[in-house]
């Protein structure tokens, strides 16, 4: 499916508006859109809303043999999927330039920054280590997929708890969550990607471009940083620019707050999971509680057999 | 059937809801001087209603049942995807020039074709100045499910009548089809409210595309955001928002966020 | 087939409670129609695009081409997803009016958000709500109901993942709204014909609840007078 083409008039208007420092939704040049974080019922699942862009990350783990070159370290595996749900231009199974770019950036952001202690994932040196797998699905593409992905991935990793293991000699026992409490991953810091888009050969730049701004931009600069203002990686396709990174602290605080809330709810035994996040005040949302099925009235089930008079009648009071 | 349809005007219908016509007599009495009004009723099914057999009308979309005198019924649904229909005026984007014909994207399942001779004053020597990526306001003359849609930029007498290439300096954005239909009703509240705010040019395409141009970029953005938010605002909330904008509150930075919150309530 | 005129079924044990439902419509801005459906803890998101352009290799001259894509949370798509896609596709093709949009494509994408039992039924319900939200013409609505038969014959409706694992058989039916007929069935495990009939009967009764829920949701959606 093709996406709607961008008309000349839209392009000219967007560029003119950017020259006057005006954005389509009224933001300033360094403003982020509203970010919302929700966690799922099982550990390691997180959905992030960045304005209208929506991304889901799921973390899972399994025991595997480690790499020969690093027998003491666990393995981190990232898998990004551009779901056809996110945009009509994304096709399933087709590996596009955008997908490769996002995958590489996510790996650089999380693996090369060494934010996760991989040595703690080792169970039996040289034989069994944990492989942590992060799957990210795009649900709605309204610009700036990379930032939303990095937030979702790091939030899901912080939320994830792996099963506890016991080693006795040669035997490795993996305890289920009911037997022993699962253990969280040890994360040193939270690297988050900030995207800056350039227009008119680097003269103007915008933080967190939305989908239409992305279509008219000249280049993109992705900087991965953490709360302590350490730069983890820079990836640019375009000119170079000076930058403002105040947004960093706010985003990290937001993630920590969301994690705290979720931990509190789980401890109190409250219900967790996506069902709890439904905004009930909206008219597009409807929920009901457990309903019982009304068994009054006879039910006639016609069974398909050679003689067509077979009819099975189930009496309601016996159901 | 008319009575049972009439009784449910204003109700929400789901696909599969059936209206059965009561069995009427098949013979007409010739000695009866006045035809029985109940027997000669005719019901016109608009979008969303289909005839299924002789005496049954089924709704195929979810929405509110609406009625227009004398006997027209249709289902008003909130939809975003455009399906081309003959006679509608749409905003298209030129995607390709192939020989004598332009290919135009109108948002449907197929691209429409627009002949270069279908502009006012165009001849084989005097070709219209149309580039790929331009916006055109045109009318569909052929649009059914079996054929490729065709557009023209002139009416039956050869005059442009407002159609043709346009667009410099304005902003194009997409809204739902229902909102465009509401904006096109004569004397509707939204356009009247906009008129009082500041002068602007508005082009509405039935395919959900709206083009706006006002005196400055800021005012254009304000009008565009107001139209997008009025999709979900009731008649009570709208004047409040318009008043806030008119009171010189041209800063829609945080308002932009709040407008979207209002959308969801 | 057994010949039976009336069945004395006094000993059917069944747990006829459906878990709590929730749905949200039009939650994504890009797709033409979207919906999320929650049954207890199982949560699914559906998105629909269409009628849109179709590749020449896939176009059908007199009807629309429906494509269903199911995305699991972890890992690459496997045979299980493909067979679920087939079930959902058969149901949708039976209820959509495909003849109204020849040579165009309808794409339905389903994403698992959390799987805690009755997944296929949740897919069907989310798909139906998303198709309604997109305004695609349908001849009837459909819904999905899952039943699990335990080893002692007790039938549980809308089972959780734990109940599904401990049961002898799991059956999922797609029921249509006009005549409560079974449009699609997908079963796993062994069961008798009698138990099949009982499950179908229970599902038909349960589908009334689900259709009522659809109606209330859509009425709520159109309740604001604009």
């Amino acid at each position: 499916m093709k996406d709607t083409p961008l008309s000349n008039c839209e392009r000219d208007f967007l560029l003119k508006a950017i020259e006057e420092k005006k954005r389509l939704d009224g933001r300033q040049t360094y403003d982020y859109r509203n970010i919302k974080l929700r966690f799922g019922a099982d550990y390691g699942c997180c959905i992030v809303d960045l304005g209208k862009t929506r991304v889901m990350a799921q973390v899972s783990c399994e025991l595997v043999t480690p790499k020969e070159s690093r027998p003491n370290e666990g393995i981190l595996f990232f898998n990004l999927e551009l779901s056809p749900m996110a945009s009509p231009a994304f096709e399933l199974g087709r590996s596009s330039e955008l997908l490769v770019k996002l995958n590489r950036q996510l790996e650089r952001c999380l693996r090369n920054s060494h934010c996760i202690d991989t040595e703690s994932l080792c169970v039996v040196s040289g034989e069994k280590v944990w492989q942590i797998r992060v799957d990210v699905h795009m649900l709605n593409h309204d610009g700036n997929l990379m930032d939303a992905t990095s937030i979702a991935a790091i939030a899901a990793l912080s939320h994830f708890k792996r099963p506890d293991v016991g080693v006795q000699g040669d035997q490795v026992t993996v305890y289920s969550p009911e037997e022993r409490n699962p253990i969280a991953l040890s994360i040193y810091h939270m690297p988050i990607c900030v995207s800056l888009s350039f227009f008119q050969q680097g003269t103007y730049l915008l933080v967190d471009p939305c989908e239409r701004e992305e279509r008219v931009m000249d280049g993109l600069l992705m900087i991965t940083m953490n709360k302590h203002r350490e730069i983890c990686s820079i990836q640019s396709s375009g000119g170079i620019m000076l930058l403002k990174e105040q947004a960093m602290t706010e985003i990290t605080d937001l993630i920590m707050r969301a994690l705290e809330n979720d931990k509190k709810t789980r401890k109190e035994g409250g219900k967790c999971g996506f069902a709890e996040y439904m905004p009930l005040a909206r008219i597009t949302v409807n929920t009901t509680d457990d309903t019982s099925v009304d068994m009054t009235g006879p039910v006639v089930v016609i069974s398909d057999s050679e003689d067509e008079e077979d009819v099975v009648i189930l009496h309601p009071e016996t159901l | 059937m008319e009575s049972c349809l009439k009784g449910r005007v204003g109700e929400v219908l789901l696909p599969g809801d059936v209206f059965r016509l009561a069995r009427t007599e098949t013979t007409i009495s010739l000695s009866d001087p006045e035809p029985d009004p109940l027997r000669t009723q005719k019901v016109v099914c608009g979008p969303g209603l289909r005839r299924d057999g002789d005496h049954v009308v089924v709704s195929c979309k979810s929405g509110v049942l609406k009625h227009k005198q004398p006997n027209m019924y249709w289902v008003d649904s909130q939809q975003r995807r455009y399906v081309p229909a003959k006679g509608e005026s749409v905003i298209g984007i030129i995607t390709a020039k192939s020989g004598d014909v332009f290919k135009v994207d109108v948002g449907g399942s197929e691209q429409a074709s627009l002949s270069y001779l279908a502009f006012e004053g165009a001849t084989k020597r005097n070709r219209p100045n149309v580039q790929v990526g331009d916006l055109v306001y045109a009318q569909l003359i052929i649009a059914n499910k079996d054929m490729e849609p065709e557009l023209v930029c002139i009416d039956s007498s050869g005059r442009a009548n407002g159609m043709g290439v346009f667009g410099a300096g304005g902003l194009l954005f997409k809204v739902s089809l229902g909102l465009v239909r509401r904006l096109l009703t004569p004397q509707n509240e939204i356009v009247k409210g906009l008129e009082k705010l500041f002068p602007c040019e508005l082009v509405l395409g039935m395919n959900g595309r709206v083009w706006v141009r006002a005196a400055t970029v800021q005012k254009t953005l304000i009008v565009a955001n107001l139209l997008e938010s009025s999709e979900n605002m009731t008649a009570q909330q709208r004047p409040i928002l318009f008043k806030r904008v008119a009171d010189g509150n041209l800063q829609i930075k945080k308002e932009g966020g709040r407008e979207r919150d209002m959308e969801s309530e | 087939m057994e010949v039976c005129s009336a069945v004395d079924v006094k000993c059917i044990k069944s747990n006829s409670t459906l878990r709590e439902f929730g749905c949200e419509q039009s939650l994504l801005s890009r797709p033409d129609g979207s919906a999320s459906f929650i049954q207890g803890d199982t949560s699914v998101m559906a998105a629909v695009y269409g009628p849109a352009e179709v590749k020449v290799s896939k176009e059908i001259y007199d009807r629309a081409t429906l494509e269903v894509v199911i995305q699991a949370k972890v890992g690459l798509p496997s045979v299980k997803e493909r067979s679920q896609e087939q079930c959902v596709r058969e149901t949708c093709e039976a209820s959509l009016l495909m003849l109204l949009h020849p040579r165009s494509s309808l794409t339905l994408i389903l994403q698992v958000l959390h799987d805690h039992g009755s997944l296929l039924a949740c897919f069907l319900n989310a798909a139906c709500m998303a198709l309604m939200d997109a305004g695609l013409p349908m001849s009837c609505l459909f819904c999905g109901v899952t039943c699990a038969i335990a080893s002692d014959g007790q039938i549980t409706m809308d089972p959780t993942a734990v109940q599904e694992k401990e049961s002898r058989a799991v059956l999922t039916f797609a029921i249509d709204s006009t005549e409560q007929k079974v449009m699609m069935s997908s079963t796993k495990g062994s069961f008798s014909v009698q138990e099949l009939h009982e499950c179908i009967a229970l599902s038909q009764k349960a589908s009334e609840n689900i259709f009522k829920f659809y109606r209330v949701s859509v009425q709520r959606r159109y309740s604001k007078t604009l």
Side-chain angles (χ1 to χ4, degrees):
Chain A
M1 241 183 304
K2 279 191 284 207
D3 213 352
T4 32
L6 190 71
S7 59
N8 298 343
C9 122
E10 278 178 281
R11 182 187 302 270
D12 295 337
F13 186 85
L14 278 167
L15 291 173
K16 196 160 76 150
I18 290 168
E19 278 170 34
E20 297 184 18
K21 306 250 193 244
K22 303 257 184 286
R23 296 179 81 163
L24 281 183
D25 44 7
R27 287 184 280 158
Q28 301 290 341
T29 43
Y30 294 134
D31 273 357
Y32 255 84
R33 291 173 281 184
N34 289 337
I35 304 180
K36 273 191 267 203
L37 270 165
R38 285 170 286 179
F39 292 106
D42 54 345
Y43 287 116
C45 185
C46 171
I47 292 191
V48 168
D49 272 16
L50 181 63
K52 291 190 197 162
T53 301
R54 199 179 284 215
V55 163
M56 176 179 81
Q58 170 74 48
V59 179
S60 52
C61 65
E62 69 177 309
L63 279 173
V64 296
T65 35
K67 291 201 187 120
E68 307 238 323
S69 52
R70 290 177 202 277
N72 281 344
E73 291 184 9
I75 305 176
L76 278 175
F77 181 69
F78 299 100
N79 181 32
L80 225 119
E81 298 238 346
L82 292 180
S83 164
M85 191 189 279
S87 160
F90 294 161
E91 280 179 29
L92 198 62
R94 191 78 67 79
S95 163
S96 65
E97 212 182 287
L98 176 64
L99 182 63
V100 170
K101 193 164 86 157
L102 291 175
N103 257 309
R104 277 225 308 265
Q105 179 65 9
L106 186 64
E107 294 207 354
R108 224 180 278 140
C109 167
L110 291 177
R111 188 181 291 155
N112 298 357
S113 62
H114 299 293
C115 59
I116 297 186
D117 180 16
T118 40
E119 288 192 359
S120 68
L121 298 173
C122 176
V123 177
V124 177
S125 172
E127 283 177 31
K128 286 262 179 255
V129 296
W130 284 112
Q131 173 178 283
I132 305 290
R133 186 194 167 105
V134 181
D135 284 280
V136 185
H137 299 275
M138 310 296 154
L139 299 178
N140 199 38
H141 177 27
D142 195 32
N144 205 4
L145 286 173
M146 191 59 233
D147 287 13
T149 307
S150 76
I151 298 176
I154 195 65
L157 282 165
S158 314
H159 189 243
F160 180 63
K161 289 192 169 32
R162 62 169 173 86
D164 197 1
V165 250
V167 183
Q168 279 128 4
D170 273 342
Q171 270 223 326
V172 174
T173 355
V174 179
Y175 297 106
S176 71
E178 288 86 31
E179 292 166 6
R180 276 208 207 166
N181 279 342
I183 307 171
L185 299 173
S186 68
I187 297 183
Y188 295 136
H189 60 101
M190 291 195 172
I192 294 171
C193 192
V194 177
S195 294
L196 300 143
S197 52
F198 300 104
F199 303 87
Q200 313 281 43
Q201 277 80 46
T203 331
Y204 305 99
L205 81 97
L206 295 178
V207 166
D208 189 17
C210 70
E211 205 252 331
R212 284 212 264 185
E213 288 164 355
E214 272 191 358
R215 280 192 173 187
V216 297
M217 69 184 178
D218 285 336
L220 186 69
L221 174 66
M222 293 192 263
I223 303 180
T224 318
M225 313 182 38
N226 63 19
K227 194 156 83 162
H228 313 290
R229 294 180 159 224
E230 293 159 0
I231 296 184
C232 309
S233 92
I234 298 188
Q235 143 94 21
S236 95
S237 43
I240 42 167
M241 265 304 302
L242 303 165
L243 31 86
K244 234 183 183 205
E245 57 285 69
Q246 185 218 354
M248 213 56 323
T249 327
E250 290 174 11
I251 296 180
T252 321
D253 283 341
L254 179 71
I255 297 183
M256 299 305 300
R257 247 183 299 140
L259 282 167
E260 278 303 314
N261 279 344
D262 183 78
K263 215 192 307 184
K264 210 171 25 153
T265 325
R266 279 175 197 267
K267 219 198 270 192
E268 291 162 5
K271 292 208 286 202
C272 47
F274 297 123
E276 295 313 301
Y277 290 107
M278 309 241 317
L280 289 169
R282 293 200 196 166
I283 58 170
T284 51
V285 175
N286 191 20
T287 57
T288 61
D289 292 322
D290 287 3
T291 53
S292 63
V293 179
D294 173 23
M295 290 296 169
T296 57
V299 174
V300 177
V301 175
I302 315 273
S303 77
D304 187 13
S305 70
E306 295 90 62
D307 1 37
E308 310 227 287
E309 293 97 41
D310 277 359
V311 167
V312 174
I313 300 180
L314 300 163
H315 292 281
E317 49 276 9
T318 53
L319 278 172
Chain B
M1 175 162 57
E2 167 123 44
S3 49
C4 64
L5 270 175
K6 230 185 201 157
R8 294 186 67 175
V9 169
E11 267 187 36
V12 172
L13 297 183
L14 292 183
D17 283 355
V18 169
F19 299 94
R20 251 172 247 283
L21 177 62
R23 296 228 164 258
T24 53
E25 297 158 18
T26 45
T27 56
I28 303 172
S29 158
L30 288 171
S31 58
D32 195 352
E34 232 179 61
D36 187 353
L38 281 176
R39 255 184 290 165
T40 54
Q41 54 176 272
K42 191 173 70 160
V43 163
V44 177
C45 293
L49 293 173
R50 281 177 63 242
R51 200 185 72 166
D52 192 15
D54 263 345
H55 303 289
V56 175
V57 161
V58 183
S59 77
C60 58
K61 295 202 186 173
S62 67
V64 181
L65 184 64
K66 293 265 168 79
H67 171 57
K68 185 172 137 175
Q69 295 292 350
N71 53 5
M72 182 122 91
Y73 294 90
W74 75 95
V75 177
D76 200 17
S77 57
Q78 286 174 359
Q79 210 181 322
R80 305 201 33 217
R81 191 88 199 177
Y82 179 62
V83 174
K86 181 170 164 179
E88 293 191 342
S89 304
V90 295
I91 296 182
I93 303 174
I94 310 270
T95 51
K97 263 202 246 198
S98 64
D100 292 340
V101 153
F102 300 115
K103 283 276 176 241
V104 182
D105 170 86
V106 291
S109 63
E110 240 179 312
Q111 300 211 329
S113 69
L114 171 62
S115 162
Y116 76 97
L117 289 172
F119 289 84
E120 182 171 3
T123 60
K124 288 209 177 118
R125 302 250 181 91
N126 180 17
R127 286 171 182 252
N129 182 15
V130 176
Q131 308 302 325
V132 171
D134 279 350
L135 292 179
V136 277
Y137 184 65
Q139 199 177 27
L140 283 157
I141 46 160
I142 294 182
N144 55 54
K145 62 185 169 93
D146 298 308
M147 292 170 65
E148 184 193 34
E150 267 183 47
L151 294 166
V152 285
C153 281
I154 49 173
D155 59 14
S156 44
S157 54
R159 276 192 289 258
N161 207 11
M163 296 191 272
V165 178
F166 72 104
L171 175 63
L172 178 76
F173 55 97
K174 195 153 189 333
V175 294
S176 79
L177 306 185
L179 177 65
V180 172
R181 286 195 292 259
R182 261 187 286 147
L183 288 168
L184 283 171
T185 52
Q187 307 301 325
N188 70 82
E189 300 293 329
I190 311 174
V191 172
K192 275 207 234 164
L194 274 177
E195 280 171 10
K196 291 198 207 115
L197 271 181
F198 23 65
C200 62
E201 270 178 76
L202 206 59
V203 177
L204 302 163
M206 298 273 304
N207 51 350
R209 294 187 184 158
V210 177
W211 179 88
V212 173
R213 180 165 68 188
T216 66
V217 164
Q218 175 73 333
K219 290 188 182 166
T220 314
L221 286 174
I222 291 178
V223 175
N225 274 303
L226 281 176
L227 284 173
E228 277 177 342
S229 338
S230 46
E231 186 144 359
N232 289 309
M233 285 201 284
T234 60
Q236 288 87 32
Q237 292 169 319
R238 216 178 300 124
I240 305 174
L241 181 65
F242 276 58
K243 190 163 176 309
R244 233 171 49 198
V245 176
D247 283 344
N249 209 350
L250 293 179
Q251 261 283 21
I252 55 165
K253 174 175 87 91
K254 289 296 183 244
E255 253 74 19
R258 233 171 282 147
E259 273 162 31
R260 273 165 183 60
D261 283 342
M262 284 171 83
E263 251 176 68
S264 58
E265 258 130 31
Chain C
M1 278 281 185
E2 308 158 35
V3 176
C4 38
S5 47
V7 175
D8 194 12
V9 287
K10 45 181 167 231
C11 297
I12 297 183
K13 294 171 278 184
S14 70
N15 175 10
S16 54
T17 327
L18 301 170
R19 293 182 284 179
E20 32 187 60
F21 293 155
C23 83
E24 189 175 351
Q25 300 168 54
S26 296
L27 58 161
L28 301 174
S29 71
R30 292 307 293 274
D32 299 326
S34 54
S36 96
F37 203 86
I38 301 184
Q39 275 178 230
D41 271 335
T42 305
S43 161
V44 160
M45 195 181 285
V48 173
Y49 283 101
E53 273 185 32
V54 66
K55 273 194 254 190
V56 181
S57 57
K58 291 199 194 153
E59 74 175 6
I60 308 178
Y61 73 97
D62 64 340
R63 54 181 60 224
T65 313
L66 175 66
E67 213 180 287
V68 177
V69 177
I70 290 188
Q71 310 217 291
K73 265 208 289 195
V74 179
L76 297 167
S78 66
V79 175
K80 179 165 144 228
E81 274 81 44
R82 292 276 173 266
S83 80
Q84 285 169 334
E85 283 172 15
Q86 184 76 356
C87 294
V88 175
R89 191 152 64 87
E90 281 169 6
T91 320
C92 295
E93 281 185 352
S95 73
L96 281 170
L97 295 169
M98 315 269 274
L99 295 172
L100 289 182
H101 297 289
R103 296 179 338 275
S104 52
S105 80
L106 305 171
T107 315
L108 171 66
I109 304 119
L110 295 155
Q111 170 77 53
V112 180
L113 296 177
H114 191 235
D115 178 9
H116 201 62
S118 309
L119 187 63
L120 186 54
C122 204
F123 279 145
L124 288 164
N125 295 331
C128 187
M129 296 231 74
L131 290 171
M132 262 204 291
D133 186 45
L136 288 173
M138 295 164 74
S139 60
C140 63
L141 294 174
F142 56 90
C143 75
V145 187
T146 307
C147 303
I149 307 180
S151 36
D152 59 354
Q154 162 123 5
I155 302 178
T156 314
M157 296 221 303
D158 201 15
T160 62
V162 174
Q163 287 167 334
E164 275 187 2
K165 225 193 286 185
E166 295 169 351
S167 61
R168 169 170 39 102
V170 177
L171 303 92
T172 305
F173 300 106
I175 314 272
D176 88 285
S177 64
T178 43
E179 292 168 8
Q180 267 75 43
K181 283 212 178 127
V182 173
M183 295 169 86
M184 183 279 302
S185 78
S186 165
T187 68
K188 190 175 75 155
S190 63
F191 47 89
S192 68
V193 173
Q194 176 67 8
E195 286 170 335
L196 174 68
H197 288 158
E198 288 160 16
C199 287
I200 292 182
L202 285 171
S203 306
Q204 286 171 329
K205 279 291 178 182
S207 67
E208 287 171 13
N209 288 39
I210 304 182
F211 290 132
K212 216 184 315 181
F213 178 71
Y214 285 173
R215 193 170 286 273
V216 170
S217 308
V218 178
Q219 277 171 346
R220 192 176 141 94
R221 176 144 178 237
Y222 287 100
S223 57
K224 237 184 184 174
T225 45
L226 300 168

